[in-house]
Structures are given as C-alpha cells and as structure tokens.
C-alpha cells in the first residue's frame, strides 16, 4: 500500500514555520545563516510573505519581488519548500491613505485609523481589487515554482466590520434569507418592545449603542459575518486557482475562535491548518487539562476535512509575548506539545517564527533562532531534537485517527447559548464542551469533534453537550440516528430553540426529541456559584452538581440518577430511554467530571470501543493506515509513570520493542507501531 502524503514533494512530516526574510533584506549575512540553521534543525518548509505587502508593493503598482525570488529559490536549492501567503492580513500605509474604505469600522460605527493588522473591511470593493491584483501577481510569478507546496491565504481571518458597505451587504443577505420583511419580523420575534421593521433599509448591524436586545438578529449578524468573510476569502482564492490550479490552499484557523464559523469556510480549503498556543504551566491548571483542551481543537480541525491530516501551522518555540504572563515552556514540553499535535492527526510541526524580529511588536515572542543568533540556545537545541524525532515519525504521515465516537459542536449553537439573556453568568459553553471531551477521552478512546452537517452513520456514540439550538431538520436527523441504532448522550439545554432562536413550543426537549428521550424538561434552575446540589446514582453514590439543574419528568425513560436536595429532590436528573434500535441518555444537570468519566467509560466499553485505564495526565491517541496502528502515549506529568495494557509494538522514537507494560519518562512520549490484526 502506497503511503499517502499531503504533499508529494515532502514524503515526511513537515517541520518549519513562519519565516519573515522581508524584515531582514538589509542583513545578507543573516539570510545566509538562516538556511544553515534551518538545515541543522531539519526544517523542510517555511511560510513566507504573510505580512510582506509593503515589501512586495512598496508603492501602488510598483512590485518588488527580487528578495522573494531569491529566498524561494535558495531555500529550494537547499531542500526547503515554501508555503506562500497572500499578504491581506495587514495593509501598507499607502493603501489605507488612498482607499480609506479598506479600514474597518468598529461596533460603535467609528472608522479605525491606519495601523495594526487583521482589520480590513471584507466588503470594500477597492480592497478586494487590490488583493486580487496582488494575488494575481503572486500566482503568476510563483505558481509553477517547484519549491512551492501550498498557498496560505491571508492570516487568521477574524472580527467584524460595521461600515456602510457591510451594512448594505447585511441587508442583501437578509433579503435573500427571509424574502419578505414580514418573515424576518416573525423569525426575529420583533413585535417584542415594538421592534418590527417595515423595510430592510431600516435594519442596521447590532451596534453596541444600537440594537443589542434582539438575539436572533445578533445571531444572523454573526452568520452574515462568516458569510462575508468567506466571500472575501473566496475572492482571494480565485486568482490562485486560476493561475496555479495545481497548488492547494489553506488558511490558518485559531483555537476555540468564536468570531467565525469555520465549518462552511473549511469547504473552500484543500488542507486545514491552525495555530496552537496552549497556556502550558498555568497555575491551578493541570498540564493534562491544558493538553485535553488543545486535543479538542486538534480533533475539531481534523474533522473539518473528515479526518484528513491537518497542519499545525504555528506554535511557539519557548514562549509567546501576548499572554498576561509569558512563562517559558519547561525543557521537554516543546517536544511533548508538538508530538501531541502529530498524535492527534497533524502532519506538521510549524512555528511562529523562525527568527526573532529585532524590533516592534513581537520582538520578545519565542522563535527558533534567538537575537543571540546561533544554534547554542536551549530552544534551538530542542527544535533540532524535534526535527530528528519528526524524521523518525515519517511512517505516520498520511495516517488517520479513526474513532466511532463523536461530539457535536456547532459554532452557531455556541453563539446561540452565549446570546441567551437569562439562566446565569456561568454559561461556560466551551469549558463544558471541553470537559465532556476530556472526560470521554480519559477512557483512552479518541473522540471526533464534528459539526451537525456531518454524516453520523459511522459513529456508534454521539455526545451532545448543551445543544440548545436544534432546527426541525437536525431534530429529525438525530431522531433517525437513534432509531437506526445510534447512542446519544445529551445534556441540559437540549433543543430549547430553532435556528432563529424561537422557542420550540410543546415542551423541551423540542424538535421531536421529547419522543426520543422520553422526558419532559419543565424548568431549569440556575444555582449560585456558592451553592451545590448532588445527584444520587442507583448504587447510592453521590456526585456534585453546580450551576444548572433541570427539573425533569420521565415519560417512559428509566431514571439513572435523581437529585439529592431542594424541591426537586428525588426527581430525575439523569435518564435513559430506548428508542428504535438505539438509546438516549439525558444528563439534566452540570455534574462533576468524575461522573462523566464513569458514564463515558461504561458506555464506550459497552459499545465495544477500545477503552483502557490510563494514569492521570496521560493521553493516548491512535493513528492508523491500511496496515498499521500508531499508538501514541503522552505523559503530561513531570514524573515518570507506568503504563499497563499497552498496545505492544516498536517505538518509532527509540527503536525499542515495547510489551504490554511500559514506562513513560517525565513529559515522555511513545509512538508504537504495530500491525493491524
Ligand atoms: C498568531 C499570528 C502570528 C503571530 C502569533 C504570535 O498566531 O498568526 O502572526 O502573531 O500569533 O503568537
Ligand atoms: Zn465594512
């Protein structure tokens, strides 16, 4: 079986990162040294041009490519490939001066002055035209260079613009969606507080000093912002595909970013990539927890393209400069963090950035090469060591993480929950979703993070944390999934509203799910942070509950746990129903993770998933190709731990054969290759 690589030109893991020679054109010695150091660290690809507009086009229409020609060619001659960015993430001053409409307008309606980055107006025809011209130049000039492997479109798209052009496009978008103003009024329930509109022209974006009371409108604004950003991105991609159709396209996504819905955007991309900057060593937070939250994002990114390997596009060698306290990663943590990405499905480890800039904003951000300039630093040594490890992991490239369990996480549902005016301040949507991810994966099984447009049929188990917004269509899809034999585990807040936030009438859970779960959720109690309740399970054990308790009635479901106190004492808190060939569990309260872990372990084991018991702060992930399994064990403890019931195999990192027991050194990693049985 031929190994499948993301890029045929690099039959291995990618190792490299952002490289900004545009800042160093006056330092030829340094540019020369860069290539030497890259080779020493086994770097095989770099991302260039991300913020290079003012060097590429110093004045309107005067292009300057010689420095980039030289870099791409010299790197290529030395076996280093290029990921080339389009520079739209930051604009030169001349552009904003000549075309002020390119500058974004904030949520108070005030136009930005020139500066910073990631702040263009996505609607501006003038900016779109400038970007088209630039991208055409890049595609024509470099599209067929043998050193080019990938387009990196813009950088970390995000934010929203409230300018008149965007307002006009918002109105057009709404007209297309609702057809008539009457249908919009009904969908937004705008008769409340007399907010009915008589024409689309009366609609403004949700300015902070304007309409902030209509959640459905805010939700549509967020959907529109995604659509408009995606539309801009598609315009960016057009000339690349036209003049260099053989070169794939990515853009770099961000960790738990809530400003855009990446799921539709992913459809325009050939490869998913993202920037991961975990807060390692945060006091009061275990490394295992930081790791689990990071693994959650890896899983989400991997599943934007149905499990295809993704790229870790950026990560910090050493430290960043933007956290409140920029603590340096302890020795060994860089390797551990990087190999976790690979274990979760990345075919690369890339950094921001290769060489530390001499001045300006990110002067103190970690880089492979420090201001000191040599290979003698601890960070450089760790990066070079990782380069060797990645070379040993070449057989893993192209393999996939496969699992039969998934967690449903739709960004619009996150928006809907965050827009709820009610309950309590402790909505903690993403914390909750990640807690479910962490609890499930402590069973040693991988968990896919998917959006609701995914085909559910390859999964035996679906986890639905706080799935508050459910359209009738999604309700049907879930119902059908259970009917056909699927198992779902859902929590409080299930199916309160449809996709314009109108409450489902007839009792929660709505969208026909009451019939599936065989419960009626009559009330939800938000308890104070200082208060606790508990649930009691059949074996008499108590598990603590905080924040939310729903008052449930069974309509046929079996009660697995009931409340310990308050007026709903002894009423159902966790239920199980059988529906069609499957079943459905409902968790009505925010219950402690210990309970979730046990429930998930038991459920996964009963479904025949490969559960195992792992020490605290140890992760297991499995990648596979047609012939082999690659089982990763990662130790997020600064102490040695022992492992039992290991999947035996040869450790690709050390060459040792490992049996069913093994040790993991502090921050240690094993990658065991074993034939599939
Ligand atoms: C982001 C950006 C980079 C850089 C890093 C710093 O991910 O894409 O340009 O600013 O953050 O951590
Ligand atoms: Zn705008």
């Amino acid at each position: 079986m031929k190994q499948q690589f993301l890029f045929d030109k690099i039959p291995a893991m990618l190792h490299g990162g952002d490289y900004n020679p545009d800042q160093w054109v006056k330092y030829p010695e340094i540019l020369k040294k860069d290539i030497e150091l890259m080779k020493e660290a086994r770097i095989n690809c770099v991302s260039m041009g991300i913020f290079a507009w003012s060097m590429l086009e110093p004045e309107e229409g005067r292009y300057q490519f010689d420095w980039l020609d030289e870099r791409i060619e010299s790197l290529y001659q030395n076996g280093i490939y290029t990921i080339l960015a389009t520079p739209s993430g930051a604009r030169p001053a001349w552009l904003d001066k000549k075309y002020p409409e390119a500058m974004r307008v904030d949520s108070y309606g005030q136009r930005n002055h020139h500066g910073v980055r990631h702040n263009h107006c996505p609607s501006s025809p003038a900016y779109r035209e400038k970007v088209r011209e630039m991208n055409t130049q890049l595609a024509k000039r470099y599209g067929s260079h043998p050193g080019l492997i990938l387009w990196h479109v813009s950088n970390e798209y995000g934010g929203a613009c409230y300018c008149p052009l965007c307002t006009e496009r918002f109105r057009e978008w709404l007209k297309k969606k609702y057809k008539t103003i009457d249908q919009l009024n009904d969908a937004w329930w705008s008769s409340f507080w007399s907010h009915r509109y008589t024409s689309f022209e009366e609609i403004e974006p949700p300015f902070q000093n304007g309409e902030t009371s209509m959640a459905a409108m805010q939700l549509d604004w967020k959907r529109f912002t995604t659509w408009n950003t995606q539309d801009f991105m598609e315009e960016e991609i057009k000339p690349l595909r036209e003049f260099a159709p053989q070169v794939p396209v990515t853009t770099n996504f961000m960790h738990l970013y809530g400003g855009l819905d990446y799921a539709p955007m992913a459809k325009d991309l050939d490869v998913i990539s993202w920037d991961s900057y975990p807060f390692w060593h945060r006091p009061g937070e275990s490394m295992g927890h930081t790791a689990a939250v990071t693994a959650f994002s890896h899983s989400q990114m991997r599943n934007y393209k149905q499990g295809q390997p993704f790229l870790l596009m950026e990560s910090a060698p050493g430290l960043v400069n933007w956290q409140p306290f920029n603590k340096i990663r302890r020795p060994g943590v860089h390797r551990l963090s990087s190999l976790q990405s690979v274990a979760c499905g990345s075919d690369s480890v890339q950094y921001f950035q290769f060489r530390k800039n001499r001045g300006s904003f990110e002067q103190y951000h970690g880089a492979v090469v420090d201001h000191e300039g040599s290979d003698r630093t601890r960070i450089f040594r760790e990066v070079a060591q990782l380069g060797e490890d990645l070379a040993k992991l070449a057989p893993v490239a192209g393999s996939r993480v496969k699992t039969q369990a998934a967690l449903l996480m739709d960004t619009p549902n996150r928006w809907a929950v965050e827009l709820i005016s009610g309950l309590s301040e402790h909505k903690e949507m993403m914390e909750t979703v990640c807690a479910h991810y962490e609890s499930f994966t402590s069973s040693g099984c991988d968990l896919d993070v998917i959006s609701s447009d995914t085909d559910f049929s390859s999964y035996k188990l679906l986890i639905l944390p706080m799935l508050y917004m459910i359209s009738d269509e999604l309700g049907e899809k879930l119902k059908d999934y259970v009917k056909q034999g699927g198992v779902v585990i859902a929590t409080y807040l299930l199916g309160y509203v449809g996709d314009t936030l109108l409450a489902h009438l007839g009792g929660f859970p709505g969208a026909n799910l009451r019939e599936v779960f065989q419960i009626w959720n009559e009330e939800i109690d938000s308890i104070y942070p200082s208060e606790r309740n508990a649930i009691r399970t059949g074996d008499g054990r108590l598990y603590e509950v905080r924040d939310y308790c729903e008052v449930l009635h069974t309509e046929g479901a079996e009660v697995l746990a009931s409340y310990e106190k308050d007026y709903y004492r002894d009423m159902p808190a966790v239920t199980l129903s059988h529906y069609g060939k499957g079943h459905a569990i409902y968790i009505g309260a925010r219950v402690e993770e210990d309970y979730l872990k046990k429930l998930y372990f038991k459920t996964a084991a009963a479904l025949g998933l490969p559960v195992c018991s792992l020490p605290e702060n140890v992760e297991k992930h499995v990648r596979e190709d047609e012939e082999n399994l690659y089982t990763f064990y990662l130790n997020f403890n600064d102490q040695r731990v022992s492992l039992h019931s290991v999947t035996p195999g040869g450790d690709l990192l050390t060459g040792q054969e490992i049996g069913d027991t093994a040790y993991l050194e502090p921050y240690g990693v094993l990658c065991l290759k074993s034939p599939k049985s």
Side-chain angles (χ1 to χ4, degrees):
M1 182 57 210
K2 203 171 161 282
Q3 199 176 348
Q4 300 283 317
F5 300 100
L6 279 178
F7 310 100
D8 290 335
K9 290 174 183 168
I10 308 186
M13 293 286 167
L14 272 59
H15 188 216
D18 285 22
Y19 176 46
N20 299 305
D22 43 305
Q23 297 171 22
W24 297 93
V25 286
K26 293 186 178 156
Y27 298 75
E29 282 312 305
I30 284 197
L31 292 176
K32 214 167 125 216
K33 180 91 181 164
D34 283 345
I35 294 188
E36 234 174 77
L37 290 168
M38 282 177 194
K39 287 167 86 172
E40 192 181 334
R42 286 177 173 262
I43 282 175
N44 55 17
C45 81
V46 293
S47 317
M48 286 195 286
I50 299 170
F51 296 110
W53 199 324
S54 65
M55 278 297 289
L56 291 168
E57 191 184 2
E59 288 165 40
E60 187 166 23
R62 181 164 74 80
Y63 295 101
Q64 174 178 274
F65 292 116
D66 47 337
W67 64 272
L68 187 56
D69 295 349
E70 185 283 326
R71 276 294 84 178
I72 293 182
E73 184 59 25
S74 303
L75 288 160
Y76 176 63
Q77 292 305 332
N78 284 280
I80 301 163
Y81 289 87
T82 292
I83 296 173
L84 190 58
T86 64
S88 66
R91 303 173 309 283
W94 62 256
L95 196 153
D96 282 349
K97 191 152 175 68
K98 180 147 183 213
Y99 306 101
E101 67 172 45
M103 292 182 284
R104 195 170 282 185
V105 167
D106 72 14
S107 56
Y108 285 93
Q110 182 158 302
R111 193 171 296 276
N112 285 349
H113 294 279
H114 170 74
V116 205
R117 63 170 177 176
H118 298 163
N119 54 10
H120 66 264
C121 165
S123 302
S124 157
Y127 194 49
R128 286 181 175 222
E129 177 53 20
K130 288 288 117 190
V131 168
R132 193 191 62 76
E133 287 165 8
M134 170 56 74
N135 293 5
T136 303
Q137 292 279 341
L138 292 171
K140 283 186 168 168
R141 191 170 189 98
Y142 300 111
S144 52
H145 194 287
L148 179 66
I149 55 165
L150 178 67
W151 295 115
H152 176 305
V153 180
S154 202
N155 193 67
E156 297 188 338
Y157 285 114
C161 178
Y162 293 70
C163 79
L165 293 166
C166 288
T167 302
E168 201 36 58
R169 282 167 75 82
F170 182 42
R171 291 178 187 142
E172 290 305 316
W173 184 87
L174 291 169
K175 265 184 221 164
K176 217 165 155 203
K177 176 166 180 179
Y178 293 107
K179 315 281 186 299
T180 68
I181 198 69
D182 204 40
Q183 295 197 52
L184 173 142
N185 280 315
D186 293 348
W188 289 1
W189 205 253
S190 60
S191 47
F192 182 78
W193 284 349
S194 198
H195 285 188
R196 285 186 82 85
Y197 297 97
T198 39
S199 98
F200 284 95
E201 303 316 305
E202 293 161 6
I203 297 173
E204 291 190 322
F207 288 116
Q208 289 215 35
N209 50 350
E211 182 56 277
T212 55
S213 67
M214 214 189 266
M217 187 259 227
Q218 288 175 282
L219 181 67
D220 271 339
W221 171 253
K222 287 170 187 287
R223 288 181 172 127
F224 160 76
T225 297
T226 291
W227 173 83
N228 204 20
T229 305
Q230 184 169 358
D231 189 64
F232 179 88
M233 181 178 84
E234 287 170 359
E235 291 279 304
E236 279 227 48
I237 294 174
K238 256 185 217 157
L240 308 177
R241 294 224 206 271
E242 185 180 345
F243 299 107
Q246 72 289 359
V247 183
V249 174
T250 193
T251 189
N252 48 344
F253 288 158
M254 295 178 270
H255 175 59
L256 307 186
Y257 180 60
L260 296 170
D261 181 5
Y262 287 152
M265 294 176 70
K267 298 195 166 65
D268 288 336
L269 306 171
D270 301 301
V271 179
I272 299 300
S273 67
W274 79 287
D275 303 342
S276 174
Y277 295 99
F279 283 59
W280 298 117
H281 312 297
R282 188 149 53 178
E285 177 173 311
S286 72
M287 295 267 289
H289 177 68
T290 315
V293 172
T294 308
F296 173 90
S297 275
H298 286 314
S299 176
Q300 192 175 32
M301 298 296 163
R302 168 178 93 221
N303 287 294
Y304 283 135
K305 281 257 172 263
Q306 297 74 45
Q308 170 184 295
F310 59 90
L311 299 177
L312 176 69
M313 183 58 84
E314 291 180 24
S315 62
L319 77 173
V320 298
N321 68 322
W322 47 263
Q323 287 169 353
F325 300 91
N326 296 293
K327 186 162 172 146
I328 297 179
R329 291 178 178 186
R330 275 29 205 167
V333 173
H334 171 66
R335 176 176 186 265
L336 175 63
S337 177
S338 302
L339 295 182
Q340 185 202 23
S341 317
V342 173
C344 293
S346 173
D347 272 6
S348 78
V349 175
Q350 288 158 273
Y351 311 112
F352 181 86
Q353 59 177 332
F354 178 71
R355 186 183 280 276
K356 223 175 238 191
N357 33 298
R358 205 172 166 190
S360 203
F361 193 67
E362 287 169 335
Q363 183 175 28
Y364 297 110
H365 193 289
V368 176
V369 181
D370 193 71
H371 294 139
E372 192 269 347
S374 80
D375 61 359
R376 284 190 298 269
T377 61
R378 173 178 73 87
I379 298 296
F380 186 92
R381 302 305 329 153
E382 289 196 30
V383 166
Q385 168 63 49
L386 185 81
E388 282 175 34
D389 289 328
L390 289 175
K392 293 177 190 156
L393 294 180
V396 182
S399 64
R400 290 170 174 234
V401 176
K402 288 189 179 161
T403 176
Q404 293 178 307
L407 180 151
L408 197 73
M409 164 62 211
D410 278 338
T411 299
N413 178 61
R414 169 186 179 176
W415 294 333
V417 170
E418 289 170 355
L419 285 166
I420 295 175
S421 167
L423 304 182
S424 77
E425 288 175 355
H426 282 206
K427 303 223 174 43
E428 294 172 359
M429 171 79 198
M430 293 317 294
E431 289 84 344
T432 303
V433 168
C434 290
H436 281 263
Y437 177 88
E438 185 172 3
S439 302
F440 179 86
T441 51
S442 70
S443 69
C445 301
D446 278 295
L447 182 63
D448 281 351
V449 176
I450 59 170
S451 49
S452 56
D453 60 355
T454 309
D455 174 11
F456 300 155
S457 65
S458 61
Y459 298 108
K460 289 184 174 171
L461 172 66
L462 267 189
I463 299 175
L464 315 176
M466 298 173 76
L467 190 58
Y468 166 72
M469 180 170 71
I470 304 186
S471 63
D472 290 340
E473 198 189 352
L474 178 56
E476 276 309 310
K477 188 171 170 182
L478 289 167
K479 190 170 144 184
D480 201 51
Y481 171 74
V482 181
K483 203 184 249 170
Q484 302 305 325
V487 174
V488 295
I489 301 186
T491 76
Y492 49 92
L493 282 190
L494 183 75
Y496 282 33
V497 297
D499 56 11
T500 66
L501 305 183
L502 293 178
H504 287 299
L505 301 179
F508 302 150
N512 286 323
L513 293 173
R514 187 165 165 182
E515 174 189 344
V516 175
F517 287 84
Q518 295 155 27
I519 51 161
W520 170 38
N521 160 22
E522 187 184 0
E523 293 182 281
I524 179 163
D525 193 14
S526 301
I527 61 178
Y528 281 96
S530 57
E531 293 179 318
R532 291 291 183 271
N533 200 330
I535 60 169
R536 183 186 290 276
T537 50
D539 56 8
R541 298 191 62 156
L542 290 177
Y543 297 90
E544 195 176 80
V545 159
R546 63 191 164 86
D547 300 334
Y548 298 118
C549 303
E550 282 178 345
V551 182
L552 309 176
H553 304 273
T554 166
E555 296 179 330
E558 184 186 323
V559 178
L560 299 183
S562 40
Y563 288 108
E564 186 55 15
K565 323 193 277 207
D566 222 313
Y567 73 93
Y568 37 89
R569 183 195 162 116
D570 295 332
M571 289 181 76
V574 182
T575 61
L576 163 69
S577 67
H578 299 278
Y579 182 79
K581 295 186 200 144
H583 56 267
I585 293 177
Y586 192 82
I587 307 171
R590 187 167 280 170
V591 60
E592 63 173 295
E593 282 186 34
D594 194 31
Y595 177 74
L596 298 178
K597 283 182 184 167
K598 286 181 187 154
L599 176 69
Y600 286 138
F601 193 98
K602 211 172 124 193
T603 310
L607 291 171
L609 273 62
V611 294
C612 67
S613 58
L614 293 169
E616 280 283 291
N617 300 315
V618 169
E619 278 188 5
K620 177 184 171 192
H621 300 283
V622 185
R623 291 180 66 162
E624 59 183 90
D625 55 27
E626 295 213 342
E627 283 147 23
N628 298 295
L629 296 178
Y630 305 94
T631 308
F632 287 82
Y633 294 94
L634 302 128
N635 182 11
F636 292 91
N637 296 290
D638 57 4
Q639 284 159 31
R640 196 179 200 222
V641 295
S642 47
L643 296 172
H644 305 280
S645 333
V646 171
T647 311
D651 181 9
L652 290 177
L653 294 163
T654 59
Q656 275 177 349
E657 282 301 318
I658 305 288
D660 59 3
T661 57
Y663 289 104
L664 272 173
E665 296 302 326
Y667 301 143
V669 181
L670 291 172
C671 172
L672 307 182
K673 177 178 172 181
S674 55
K676 273 174 146 175
S677 45

